[in-house]
Amino acid sequence: MIQGRQSSRGLTLVELLVVIAIIGLLVALLLPAVQLAREAARRATCASHVRQLVLALHQYAEARSCFPAGCVVEPTYPGAGQHNAWREAESGWRGTSWMLAILSHVEQEELWRRWDHSTNVAGNRESARTDIPLFYCPSRRSGIRDEDREHMFLGLDAGGNDYGGCLGRTNGFINQCSSGQGCGHRFTVSNTIYGSDGKRIGPLSPNSRTRLRDITDGSAHTILIGEMQRLSPEPEVTSYESWNRSSDDGWAVGGAATLFDTAEPHQDDDAGNPGGLNNGFFESAGSEHPGGALFGMADGSARFIENEIDPVLYAHLGSISDGQVFPLPD
């Protein structure tokens, strides 16, 4: 008996296109969820970095009875209380940052021992170009990118950082052109910006020795560290504007590379400090997390602060003893 042959039928072109369209739709629906999950994981890792850095600062304070100086510098203009940490790091005495001071508390004891503490950052070039994973935010990078090189101290190809110390509720840097200074936002100002009562000062300022008991506004209401913006100006901006839209980079060097302020909008700033965070202004904190940035409070907690936070509230979180205590919103 002859069996009939069964006919096999493939997909028609229309059916194939429908299947492809359905697969594309599913991918389009799933991709944002995957990206959100990845960012959530990166943000959790970043929060862990922030907590580890705050813990290291507290370990330093426990061993030495105070937090490290925001940067170690000689006054460039003693009467005005100005310090050019970047210039000193290259050709002066020290110019080093608070991040160097905590190396032995972040499992970098060998790097700390290798550092020549009798000279500046340039004299420790090879040590300064060491990549420390803890100093990078995984949402931004894991090392120096091509676009970062022009902002790196001495043009180094490694040794960047994405976290900085809180200088205070103040316009903390000179960001204007003037005789003898040039266009230089690497001038960190200490004495003159805080006022006679010093109430705008933050926990990590030039040559500071802040103790826990100095934080009278409460450790839970005071920013100790936070994420840094990493800015590259667009080609069409003027040379003056480019200073305000450019970041310095490098964990070892003091100044704008490793410090930020929480200045109120336009406070003591003829150039118009916009205040807040993620504002495209080099003095301010910021991140590449959507909607805000992570900060380490002086009580050891890591808090995510949204871009929309009231700028005056945010400003007061940067000072240690101005008597204005504002709890962070939940």
Side-chain angles (χ1 to χ4, degrees), residues 7-19:
S7 63
S8 60
R9 178 178 176 274
L11 293 173
T12 67
L13 179 59
V14 172
E15 289 171 332
L16 180 60
L17 291 175
V18 169
V19 170

Side-chain angles (χ1 to χ4, degrees), residues 1 6 64 79 107 151 181-182 188 218 253 256 311:
M1 186 172 84
Q6 295 179 344
R64 297 168 178 82
E107 300 181 353
H151 307 303
Q181 296 179 10
T188 303
V253 63

Side-chain angles (χ1 to χ4, degrees), residues 5-204:
R5 289 182 298 177
Q6 295 179 344
S7 63
S8 60
R9 178 178 176 274
L11 293 173
T12 67
L13 179 59
V14 172
E15 289 171 332
L16 180 60
L17 291 175
V18 169
V19 170
I20 293 173
I22 292 173
I23 292 173
L25 179 61
L26 290 173
V27 170
L29 291 172
L30 289 173
L31 188 57
V34 171
Q35 292 174 332
L36 285 174
R38 288 178 176 173
E39 169 54 23
R42 290 190 291 261
R43 178 168 147 177
T45 300
C46 182
S48 176
H49 287 188
V50 169
R51 283 190 289 267
Q52 290 179 68
L53 291 171
V54 172
L55 176 61
L57 284 163
H58 276 274
Q59 290 174 338
Y60 181 101
E62 183 177 354
R64 297 168 178 82
S65 301
C66 64
F67 291 116
C71 54
V72 180
V73 284
E74 287 287 320
T76 306
Y77 301 98
Q82 299 172 9
H83 310 270
N84 191 329
W86 189 277
R87 181 183 298 166
E88 185 168 334
E90 187 170 2
S91 58
W93 175 54
R94 293 284 180 84
T96 54
S97 79
W98 63 273
M99 301 188 91
L100 171 68
I102 64 169
L103 285 181
S104 59
H105 301 287
V106 292
E107 300 181 353
Q108 295 293 329
E109 181 70 30
E110 177 58 32
L111 181 57
W112 170 256
R113 293 180 184 276
R114 194 166 70 240
W115 191 275
D116 182 358
H117 297 276
S118 67
T119 186
N120 55 20
V121 182
N124 288 275
R125 182 188 181 99
E126 287 307 307
S127 295
R129 67 179 297 275
T130 301
D131 269 335
I132 300 174
L134 181 63
F135 291 171
Y136 287 109
C137 168
S139 288
R140 174 179 290 142
R141 55 185 180 169
S142 58
I144 297 302
R145 305 162 298 186
D146 290 342
E147 61 265 34
D148 300 326
R149 288 289 297 272
E150 64 178 300
H151 307 303
M152 281 293 295
F153 180 71
L154 298 179
L156 298 178
D157 59 354
N161 67 290
D162 291 327
Y163 305 101
C166 182
L167 182 62
R169 176 179 66 89
T170 180
N171 173 31
F173 302 88
I174 291 180
N175 48 285
Q176 58 191 13
C177 301
S178 57
S179 176
Q181 296 179 10
C183 285
H185 62 243
R186 300 178 183 123
F187 281 87
T188 303
V189 185
S190 61
N191 300 339
T192 56
I193 55 174
Y194 300 130
S196 59
D197 56 7
K199 287 185 176 180
R200 298 180 191 171
I201 195 169
L204 298 174

Side-chain angles (χ1 to χ4, degrees), residues 224-245:
L224 187 58
I225 64 170
E227 295 190 80
M228 302 286 287
Q229 296 182 98
R230 287 294 171 242
L231 306 172
S232 296
E234 297 298 326
E236 64 271 13
V237 304
T238 66
S239 59
Y240 172 69
E241 289 176 328
S242 71
W243 282 99
N244 294 341
R245 301 186 194 181

